[in-house]
Amino acid sequence: MRAGEETLAALGIRSKAIERDDRRLLEAFASQLALAFERTDLTETLEAARLATETERLRSALLSSVSHDLRTPLVSIIGAASTLAEGGDRYTEPMRQDLAETIREEGERLDRYVQNLLDMTRLSHGALRPRCVASDLLEIIGNARRRLRSNLAPYKIVLSLPDSMPLIDVDSILIEQLLVNVLDNAAKYAPENSEILLSGHAESTWLKLAISDQGPGIPAQARSDVFEMFYRVTAGDTQRAGTGLGLAIARGIVDAHGGDIYVQATNPDESGTTIVFRLPIAGQEV
C-alpha cells in the first residue's frame, strides 16, 4: 500500500491463485487503504502542529504575564520598602503610613495574580475539585469585598439579593475567588464613582447571580472568548493591565460546581458588562 513514493503498509493475501479481476479489486482496495492511512497521518500531523502553536501561544502569554503583571507590584513593593528603610526621620507619619499601605495593596495584588496562576495549573490538570458544604453567600461576598477593599473603594457597591437568601452548596473558598476575579475585573474597567451591582434570585434548584458594571462593555463577538485563558479583548475593555486569567478561572470554578457562566451587556446601548452565573442551592437535587 503506497502513497506517492512511500510505502505505508503491506497487505498479504493467502490464496492459491488470484484471478486478474480479483487482483485489480485488491489493488484498488489497497490504494484506498493507503489513502486512509495518509489522511490519518496528515490529521495527526496537523493536530501536532496545532498543539505546538497553542503551547507556544500559552507560553508566550504566561511569560508576558510573569514579566509584566507580576513584576509591576513587585517593583512597587520594593520601591516603597526601600523608601521606608532608607528614609529615616525625613518622612512624616502619614507619609510612612501611605508607603506601608502601598506595600500592603501591591502585596495583595501580587497574591491575587499568584493565586490565579495556581488555579490555572489546577484547572489544566483537572485537579480543581470543590469541597461543597452549605454556605452563606452574603458571608462569601463580604470576604471577597474585604480582599478588594482598595480596588472597590472608588465605586458604589450595590447589593440586590433576596431577603431570605438560600444557602448554596459550594466550596466557599473557590466561590470567594470567583467573586474576587469578577469584581476585580469590573473595577478595572468601570469609571470611578460608578455603580457595581451584585444581584441575584433563586431559579428552581439554582441561585442565579449577576455582577454588573458601567464600563465600556465587551463586543458581542468576544463575549464567549473572554473565558479563554490569557484572552484579552482588543477593543473596549483594554485600558488596564491583567493576566487574562480571571474570567477563565471563574468559568472553571463555576463548571466544577455544575453551573454555567456567560457575559451580556448591562445596558440597552450595549455598554457595561454583566457576568451571569448559576450556583446550586443547598439541599436541592440538581
Side-chain angles (χ1 to χ4, degrees):
M1 292 181 283
R2 299 177 62 83
E5 297 299 320
E6 184 180 2
T7 299
L8 301 178
L11 175 64
I13 304 296
R14 178 179 293 180
S15 176
K16 292 182 179 179
I18 299 178
E19 300 294 332
R20 179 177 298 178
D21 289 344
D22 291 337
R23 183 178 183 86
R24 291 199 186 101
L25 182 61
L26 285 170
E27 288 174 346
F29 178 63
S31 177
Q32 291 299 312
L33 277 176
L35 288 174
F37 289 153
E38 189 176 31
R39 283 196 298 271
T40 300
D41 289 345
L42 179 60
T43 299
E44 291 176 351
T45 300
L46 290 174
E47 180 64 15
R50 187 192 69 79
L51 288 175
T53 300
E54 183 69 10
T55 299
E56 179 60 24
R57 185 184 73 83
L58 290 175
R59 187 186 71 84
S60 298
L62 182 57
L63 286 175
S64 174
S65 172
V66 171
S67 63
H68 179 267
D69 298 318
L70 298 185
R71 286 189 64 197
T72 300
L74 276 176
V75 169
S76 298
I77 291 169
I78 292 170
S82 298
T83 302
L84 277 175
E86 299 167 3
D89 297 329
R90 288 180 296 168
Y91 300 106
T92 64
E93 182 58 30
M95 295 171 66
R96 287 196 291 270
Q97 184 63 34
D98 285 343
L99 289 169
E101 184 68 14
T102 296
I103 294 172
R104 184 185 64 78
E105 290 178 2
E106 294 300 319
E108 289 177 347
R109 182 153 71 109
L110 181 61
D111 178 67
R112 289 196 296 274
Y113 285 156
V114 171
Q115 183 61 52
N116 277 340
L117 289 172
L118 292 174
D119 287 342
M120 179 199 72
T121 303
R122 294 167 66 195
L123 283 171
S124 300
H125 290 83
L128 194 67
R129 298 184 179 89
R131 298 178 180 178
C132 297
V133 296
S135 305
D136 184 350
L137 178 62
L138 288 175
E139 182 180 344
I140 298 173
I141 291 174
N143 291 337
R145 291 179 64 180
R146 277 190 290 274
R147 286 176 59 185
L148 291 172
R149 54 191 175 276
S150 298
N151 301 56
L152 298 178
Y155 304 96
K156 181 182 179 182
I157 307 300
V158 178
L159 298 182
S160 177
L161 299 167
D163 292 333
S164 56
M165 174 71 68
L167 297 177
I168 49 177
D169 187 28
V170 297
D171 184 320
S172 59
I173 294 176
L174 290 179
I175 299 305
E176 181 182 322
Q177 186 62 42
L178 158 68
L179 292 174
V180 165
N181 286 0
V182 178
L183 287 169
D184 186 42
N185 203 65
K188 286 176 183 175
Y189 307 120
E192 289 191 1
N193 301 314
S194 65
E195 178 180 289
I196 296 177
L197 173 65
L198 287 82
S199 59
H201 62 274
E203 229 180 46
S204 182
T205 59
W206 300 91
L207 190 65
K208 188 173 184 179
L209 300 169
I211 298 178
S212 306
D213 66 55
Q214 297 297 324
I218 297 173
Q221 67 273 16
R223 288 175 188 163
S224 59
D225 295 331
V226 296
F227 294 107
E228 299 298 325
M229 286 186 179
F230 299 111
Y231 182 84
R232 299 291 306 281
V233 179
T234 56
D237 288 358
T238 57
Q239 69 269 38
R240 302 291 181 89
T243 58
L245 290 174
L247 292 183
I249 291 166
R251 181 178 66 176
I253 291 172
V254 172
D255 288 348
H257 286 82
D260 56 5
I261 185 170
Y262 59 91
V263 179
Q264 62 186 30
T266 302
N267 306 307
D269 63 358
E270 295 296 299
S271 66
T273 297
T274 297
I275 307 294
V276 185
F277 53 95
R278 297 190 308 162
L279 297 171
I281 294 175
Q284 303 287 331
E285 291 293 332
V286 178

